[in-house]
Amino acid sequence: MNVSKQQWLLIKTPYWLGIFADALWAVGLLFPPVFAILTGNPEFNPDTQTRLIMGMGGSLMMGWTFLLLWAVRKPVERRVVILLTAFPVVLGMLIIAILGFLAGNSSNIWLILKSIVLIVSMTASYILSCRIDTVSTMENSLA
């Protein structure tokens, strides 16, 4: 099956959005002053225990960044990666952002909006990839 440029754009863009977002958060988690900027909390000054936890999270985010870089090379075949990125990774970030917003951090609104856009675009990428794979499989079985 021939996949149009528009379809490839719809499939790959969420991967690149995820790569960018994960890399950004990895840097933020590994460097608390960057985290302070990202969360809109200039007074953020974590203790040693919090820095260790952030370091673990940053390492995981960096790993997920590389996983998405690997998956975007064959986005139809590796589409489960984008689905796992949407659920539970981005969904978890959305829930945390909502909790932060409800606790009074109004700057979390951009995190909420970003997470919603990511979940919708990643889910759409997965669904389109499934359709392309199904049509491709049917064409191959008829040939």
Side-chain angles (χ1 to χ4, degrees):
M1 174 184 178
N2 289 332
V3 180
S4 72
K5 287 182 181 181
Q6 183 180 14
Q7 287 174 316
W8 276 121
L9 185 65
L10 290 172
I11 290 170
K12 287 186 169 189
T13 297
Y15 284 85
W16 288 108
L17 290 172
I19 290 164
F20 175 76
D22 287 354
L24 183 64
W25 280 108
V27 171
L29 288 165
L30 294 170
F31 301 99
V34 176
F35 184 85
I37 293 167
L38 292 175
T39 58
N41 185 1
E43 305 296 318
F44 183 69
N45 188 19
D47 60 16
T48 302
Q49 187 66 35
T50 303
R51 284 179 184 265
L52 293 172
I53 293 167
M54 290 175 68
M56 283 186 230
S59 297
L60 290 170
M61 290 300 282
M62 190 59 67
W64 206 268
T65 301
F66 290 120
L67 180 64
L68 283 169
L69 282 167
W70 171 77
V72 76
R73 296 183 65 210
K74 294 183 179 182
V76 174
E77 295 89 341
R78 300 172 182 167
R79 65 187 172 271
V80 72
V81 173
I82 202 70
L83 188 63
L84 288 171
T85 304
F87 308 99
V89 176
V90 180
L91 179 62
M93 290 173 28
L94 173 62
I95 292 168
I96 291 166
I98 290 170
L99 292 173
F101 181 78
L102 294 174
N105 188 348
S106 60
S107 66
N108 273 15
I109 194 70
W110 80 270
L111 296 171
I112 293 168
L113 296 173
K114 174 195 72 96
S115 296
I116 291 169
V117 168
L118 285 172
I119 289 171
V120 169
S121 67
M122 288 174 175
T123 303
S125 173
Y126 176 78
I127 291 168
L128 182 56
S129 293
C130 286
R131 289 182 182 162
I132 289 169
D133 189 48
T134 300
V135 170
S136 178
T137 301
M138 288 174 48
E139 287 177 352
N140 288 339
S141 68
L142 294 174

